[in-house]
Amino acid sequence: MQYTVGSIAPIFLSPVIAFVINAFFGRKLPRNGDWLAVLSIFISFVFSARIFGDFFFGQFATDYYIHKTFTWFDLSAGTHVFKVDMGIYLDNMSSIMLLMVSGVAFLIHLFSTWYMDHDERHGRFFVFLPLFTSAMLGLVLSDNLFSLFLFWEIMGFCSYSLIGIYYEKEKAGDASLKAFMTTRVGDVFLLLGIVAIWMVVGSVNYVDIYAAIAQGKFDGPAVLGISFATFTALCIFAGAMGKSAQFPLHVWLPDAMMGPTPGSALIHAATMVTAGVWVSLRMYPLMVLGDITWFIAVIGAITAFGAATIAMVQTDIKAVLAYSTLSQLGYMMIGVGVGSYNAAFMHVITHAFFKACLFLSAGSIIHSVHEQEMPKLGGLKKYLPYTHFAMMCCTLAIAGIPFFSGFVSKDRILGDALYFGFMAGQNPLLAIVPILGFAGAGLTAFYMFRMMFLTFYGENRTHDSHGHGHGHKDDHGHHGHGHEIHHEHLDFRSNVPLLILAVFTLGFWFAGNVVGQNFGNVFGGKNEWFKILVEAPKVEKFVDRPKQAFSSVDTKGEIVLPHAHYHHQSGYAGPNPDEHKLHTAHVIGAWLSIFIAFSGVFIAFLMYIKKSVKPLAEKFPGITEMLKAKYNFDHFYIDILIKKGLLGLNRFLAWLDMGIYDRYVIDGMAAVNRVLFKASKWFDNVVIDAIGVDGTGVTVNLFNLVLRIVQSGKIQFYFIMLVMVLASYIWTLNI
Amino acid sequence: MVSLASYLIISLILFVVGLVVMIARKNIVAILLGIELILNAAALNFVAYSRYATNNLDGHIFSLFIIVVAAAEAAVGLAIVIRFFQIKETIHIDEATQLRN
């Protein structure tokens, strides 16, 4: 099997081509070119699947990678090297990520062709959707932080456009601006981090950065009193916080549901928010070097728990899902922070499948009922059986019920968090990480089943809303009419994507055993492929690795590298003295989270099905109000931070600008200029015009008087002159 | 045996006749004929010197070039004369004064 650029680049290029064609000729194509977008993503999927298959069945070593670079531009002068490379970096992790992104995005595209049918923004939607996907695929493929940053920003733009696609709605416009501005705060830090890395490494290649870490180039001078590695790692992580919506910068993600539901599915599952986790995983050695992993874990824990509490009181079905995304991203960050590298990445993948499915199911509900407020839904199970089945699978997965994917990945993270918080001899205050993590897991089970029960069970309340339902407009651009709900029939575009995604909520795809956590191995633990393929990069191995030319060919047979072995009985192989303790932590964590998940489901059941316990809102009205206000973060940012702090600063700067700078500097310059202008006007009129220009004319005229006599225009006179001149030569020579 | 001098005398006569025709005649065609005579005088000189002085083929080749150039020059010159006649209906040299002033 050979790898050239031609077998990798189509993954990124085919959605780009679809974007260009749809952007310029979309209106002329049948169905606004949505089939082209779907086809392009399918091509990406086929190429990704081939790469994944090779990495998966080829049993490459975990540190095997394909790295092809070319020089983008080279401004080196003498000894000063300034050279920017671009390229492709492909390892086990990117092959898994590519397959996930292209596969999930393909299903989302397919669903969108049904969801956005007859929508006024149908064409516009299918311009941004492939661009968004291509940016994510490019981000996964890129070999350096600089091109990663480019794709990162393209995704920021696409999310802005998709959130605000119904721009005539004021809320949608505000939400898109908020998403763009909030992520921008993180982006500035990310750029700063990239510049800092460039400063010490002289390159922003992953491989070069890993090698530089191994060679200790980051042990340089301190910045602002903290070590350079910590500073850089914090900057990179701040970027990830913006994109992955972590605690202080999380405010944009819940509002991002203003866009069409498939767009939300793409933002929440496959593309945008996973980019932050992706960069944290890629820069994991730097995070470890900078010793900020505990900080990442704490931020993740706060996000996981806080978002879960807010999700409990939301009434909008998409808002619940948006906050659950926040919460799950928090778990991923906990995973990064507590050092369970492959579990964090596994959670990215499992979360992408179930969250895409949840959002598409919500889209299916909204499209059928034209209503997204849960108090006005209910009893939909008999109308939407397929959606119910898919959504139930995903809910079980996200709630962490055994046999489903969420249990496998989340509980590996929580097990490691338990070890990290209580047994690893850390600061005792860090026990807050597993405590908040487990509490959030219980709340997750509760609020997800609350959503399920309110939406699909109980009596149907869609007809209650006749009175005030008419003024309401859902995100699909339809007015709620309270009309008859259509019974769902199995449809290729609307139900099949959901059912395919639902299949992948089963745990054994990822764990290789039925339950996860090494209980009930089906194939003797041989298929723990995730643990074998994905591991944190070992930086020493990257020192002095030669670079491949962009046009080079990777041939599997010719590369001599140790192959990975699929026979680890224990997933925690390696010289870890605390292996036993870790194993104990995982066993405790697994039973604890099974207990917590089931009790969450049970409480939801009591509250919303049996109604023997009063719902939360009636029991604790004060807390509910606080949660409904989302802990007042929007109020804090907009009213206090921006209106009081930034506005005052703005006024001061405006005074500096208009009062001082304009009056004295600008006007003073004007006065000086006026004098200079007069002087130069005199110079121009007298010296240049009168003496220079006119004087030249007069001089030429004088010569003209003489020359006119000779230049008679009579050719025979010229001949005589010629002969006379020649004769004079001869006469001169003779003398 | 014909001496070099006789060739040179013939060539001189041709040159002077051509020069006089060129200067004295007012007919443009006649002036072109004068130029042809001068060119032929030069070609004759080349051939004569290559025979008597250097005894190789340089002069012959040069005179071939002169003939080619003369033919080209005659073609262009006559074309100009024809256009001039179409415009002015005369071939008097003193009428060719459009560029003056």
Side-chain angles (χ1 to χ4, degrees):
Chain A
M1 195 59 72
Q2 290 187 328
Y3 280 103
T4 55
V5 175
S7 60
I8 299 170
I11 295 171
F12 164 64
L13 286 180
S14 79
V16 171
I17 291 166
F19 156 70
V20 171
I21 293 174
N22 275 357
F24 292 104
F25 311 109
R27 283 169 187 278
K28 291 174 190 158
L29 294 172
R31 292 187 55 83
N32 287 327
D34 59 356
W35 50 274
L36 190 69
V38 174
L39 184 71
S40 72
I41 307 291
F42 187 70
I43 292 169
S44 297
F45 175 69
V46 169
F47 277 89
S48 310
R50 174 183 172 241
I51 290 169
F52 175 76
D54 279 348
F55 272 87
F56 182 71
F57 295 112
Q59 305 185 11
F60 286 133
T62 45
D63 59 347
Y64 176 72
Y65 64 90
I66 295 169
H67 185 204
K68 297 181 189 304
T69 58
F70 65 94
T71 306
W72 187 33
F73 58 81
D74 188 354
L75 299 178
S76 304
T79 55
H80 182 74
V81 178
F82 189 88
K83 193 174 147 198
V84 179
D85 283 345
M86 286 283 156
I88 292 171
Y89 182 84
L90 202 58
D91 62 358
N92 293 323
M93 207 162 98
S94 9
S95 73
I96 297 168
M97 192 75 175
L98 284 177
L99 187 72
M100 183 281 281
V101 172
S102 56
V104 171
F106 169 65
L107 295 174
I108 291 171
H109 276 64
L110 194 60
F111 182 86
S112 309
T113 59
W114 171 75
Y115 186 86
M116 297 299 284
D117 228 355
H118 309 302
D119 192 284
E120 53 179 335
R121 300 279 149 75
H122 180 271
R124 180 185 287 260
F125 189 71
F126 277 99
V127 170
F128 289 118
L129 222 50
L131 180 66
F132 206 158
T133 314
S134 70
M136 186 64 197
L137 291 166
L139 183 138
V140 174
L141 280 173
S142 59
D143 76 323
N144 60 54
L145 288 175
F146 186 69
S147 60
L148 180 138
F149 187 73
L150 292 182
F151 292 123
W152 183 276
E153 291 297 327
I154 293 172
M155 276 202 284
F157 163 70
C158 287
S159 71
Y160 167 80
S161 313
L162 283 177
I163 293 164
I165 199 159
Y166 300 114
Y167 45 77
E168 71 277 2
K169 288 199 288 185
E170 197 183 348
K171 276 178 90 177
D174 288 350
S176 60
L177 269 180
K178 190 174 175 185
F180 200 64
M181 292 299 179
T182 317
T183 48
R184 180 132 305 273
V185 175
D187 293 350
V188 171
F189 283 105
L190 179 67
L191 194 57
L192 194 63
I194 293 172
V195 171
I197 288 176
W198 177 273
M199 213 170 82
V200 288
V201 185
S203 157
V204 285
N205 246 310
Y206 294 142
V207 174
D208 292 339
I209 294 168
Y210 294 151
I213 291 169
Q215 288 161 342
K217 280 187 191 168
F218 278 93
D219 307 337
V223 181
L224 305 171
I226 52 176
S227 84
F228 193 81
T230 310
F231 172 77
T232 316
L234 274 177
C235 283
I236 300 277
F237 180 62
M241 269 158 72
K243 213 57 153 186
S244 284
Q246 293 302 301
F247 153 57
L249 299 178
H250 64 274
V251 289
W252 67 271
L253 190 59
D255 287 14
M257 65 178 193
M258 293 307 297
T261 315
S264 308
L266 204 60
I267 293 172
H268 286 256
T271 55
M272 179 102 167
V273 293
T274 52
V277 184
W278 176 259
V279 77
S280 311
L281 288 171
R282 276 285 188 234
M283 287 294 107
Y284 183 71
L286 188 64
M287 308 286 173
V288 173
L289 186 74
D291 197 24
I292 64 159
T293 50
W294 65 269
F295 177 71
I296 297 175
V298 171
I299 290 284
I302 294 170
T303 312
F305 180 75
T309 53
I310 298 174
M312 285 195 302
V313 299
Q314 296 300 317
T315 53
D316 187 325
I317 186 165
K318 284 179 76 183
V320 174
L321 294 178
Y323 279 103
S324 80
T325 305
L326 270 180
S327 176
Q328 299 305 310
L329 288 167
Y331 283 109
M332 294 171 203
M333 284 302 178
I334 294 179
V336 176
V338 301
S340 55
Y341 189 87
N342 77 64
F345 184 58
M346 190 198 276
H347 202 53
V348 171
I349 304 293
T350 58
H351 171 257
F353 284 110
F354 61 65
K355 188 49 61 67
C357 183
L358 283 169
F359 263 105
L360 295 188
S361 305
S364 174
I365 293 167
I366 293 167
H367 197 276
S368 310
V369 189
H370 301 300
E371 181 57 67
Q372 59 191 88
E373 286 293 319
M374 286 193 292
K376 296 177 193 162
L377 294 169
L380 292 178
K381 188 182 168 191
K382 62 179 181 218
Y383 299 106
L384 307 168
Y386 301 109
T387 308
H388 168 258
F389 173 74
M391 206 163 188
M392 188 49 114
C393 287
C394 300
T395 307
L396 289 168
I398 194 174
I401 303 296
F403 305 110
F404 288 92
S405 62
F407 175 77
V408 178
S409 53
K410 198 200 294 178
D411 292 313
R412 282 182 190 181
I413 293 172
L414 286 176
D416 281 341
L418 204 61
Y419 173 77
F420 173 84
F422 290 109
M423 301 184 204
Q426 301 263 11
N427 187 335
L429 284 176
L430 289 180
I432 195 172
V433 173
I435 291 169
L436 286 181
F438 276 104
L443 295 180
T444 306
F446 171 75
Y447 69 72
M448 286 311 292
F449 273 91
R450 169 179 174 266
M451 185 197 79
M452 285 303 286
F453 292 150
L454 282 176
T455 310
F456 286 106
Y457 296 89
E459 75 279 11
N460 190 337
R461 295 180 293 275
T462 46
H463 294 284
D464 302 350
S465 57
H466 269 277
H468 47 271
H470 279 281
H472 174 74
K473 213 176 171 195
D474 62 16
D475 85 318
H476 196 241
H478 288 285
H479 290 283
H481 293 303
H483 51 62
E484 283 299 311
I485 306 163
H486 309 292
H487 279 267
E488 189 177 34
H489 301 290
L490 190 63
D491 180 75
F492 173 64
R493 288 183 296 159
S494 69
N495 302 124
V496 169
L498 298 184
L499 296 176
I500 293 172
L501 286 170
V503 168
F504 288 98
T505 57
L506 286 174
F508 79 91
W509 297 109
F510 307 98
N513 50 47
V514 177
V515 190
Q517 303 292 5
N518 279 336
F519 309 140
N521 289 342
V522 255
F523 306 110
K526 274 192 176 178
N527 285 4
E528 262 285 17
W529 59 276
F530 218 99
K531 261 185 191 152
I532 291 156
L533 287 185
V534 179
E535 64 174 24
K538 295 191 179 76
V539 288
E540 318 79 54
K541 295 194 173 172
F542 288 92
V543 179
D544 294 334
R545 280 258 179 117
K547 284 189 181 171
Q548 291 171 308
F550 202 62
S551 54
S552 63
V553 178
D554 271 86
T555 308
K556 208 194 279 178
E558 291 169 8
I559 295 163
V560 186
L561 274 172
H563 281 193
H565 303 290
Y566 274 78
H567 52 68
H568 286 299
Q569 273 306 316
S570 159
Y572 313 109
N576 187 352
D578 294 329
E579 195 182 322
H580 183 68
K581 270 173 151 181
L582 194 59
H583 187 66
T584 316
H586 275 265
V587 172
I588 296 171
W591 288 114
L592 194 59
S593 59
I594 290 171
F595 171 72
I596 285 175
F598 276 110
S599 49
V601 177
F602 185 63
I603 293 168
F605 176 76
L606 288 182
M607 278 190 189
Y608 298 102
I609 297 275
K610 287 201 74 178
K611 299 192 191 295
S612 54
V613 179
K614 276 187 195 168
L616 222 57
E618 294 167 30
K619 262 188 162 174
F620 309 106
I623 297 176
T624 309
E625 277 312 304
M626 186 179 80
L627 292 178
K628 277 199 172 153
K630 303 157 191 172
Y631 293 116
N632 285 318
F633 265 104
D634 288 343
H635 171 72
F636 174 71
Y637 281 141
I638 292 170
D639 291 338
I640 297 176
L641 205 66
I642 293 177
K643 282 196 182 152
K644 295 224 171 96
L646 286 179
L647 220 57
L649 186 67
N650 268 2
R651 289 213 183 92
F652 174 68
L653 291 175
W655 175 76
L656 273 187
D657 191 32
M658 288 191 272
I660 308 250
Y661 190 77
D662 272 9
R663 182 168 303 163
Y664 296 106
V665 181
I666 305 282
D667 294 351
M669 285 296 281
V672 171
N673 273 346
R674 224 170 277 134
V675 172
L676 285 176
F677 171 72
K678 275 180 184 155
S680 60
K681 187 181 172 190
W682 174 85
F683 183 80
D684 196 42
N685 279 343
V686 174
V687 177
I688 307 275
D689 271 8
I691 298 174
V693 178
D694 294 348
T696 313
V698 169
T699 318
V700 170
N701 256 340
L702 285 176
F703 279 104
N704 203 3
L705 284 178
V706 178
L707 289 175
R708 201 187 293 163
I709 298 163
V710 184
Q711 295 282 334
S712 65
K714 296 232 185 332
I715 194 159
Q716 285 170 330
F717 180 72
Y718 295 166
F719 287 150
I720 292 165
M721 292 282 285
L722 200 68
V723 171
M724 279 165 67
V725 168
L726 285 173
S728 73
Y729 281 167
I730 295 163
W731 180 66
T732 322
L733 286 174
N734 282 351
I735 289 172
Chain B
M1 186 71 189
V2 186
S3 66
L4 176 61
S6 49
Y7 285 105
L8 294 184
I9 289 163
I10 296 288
S11 153
L12 182 67
I13 291 168
L14 276 175
F15 185 82
V16 172
V17 168
L19 200 63
V20 168
V21 165
M22 211 170 79
I23 292 172
R25 295 296 297 262
K26 294 293 180 186
N27 189 326
I28 300 174
V29 178
I31 292 169
L32 284 175
L33 286 174
I35 294 168
E36 293 296 320
L37 285 180
I38 291 169
L39 286 169
N40 282 337
L44 188 61
N45 260 6
F46 269 115
V47 175
Y49 274 112
S50 80
R51 170 71 182 81
Y52 287 98
T54 61
N55 205 12
N56 58 17
L57 285 178
D58 289 359
H60 299 260
I61 291 165
F62 236 106
S63 54
L64 273 177
F65 271 114
I66 288 170
I67 289 163
V68 171
V69 171
E73 177 258 316
V76 175
L78 285 173
I80 292 170
V81 171
I82 288 166
R83 286 293 295 148
F84 182 73
F85 183 74
Q86 282 172 352
I87 295 164
K88 289 274 180 181
E89 300 206 328
T90 176
I91 46 172
H92 197 272
I93 189 72
D94 288 346
E95 293 295 320
T97 54
Q98 281 101 321
L99 283 178
R100 180 184 278 178
N101 303 323

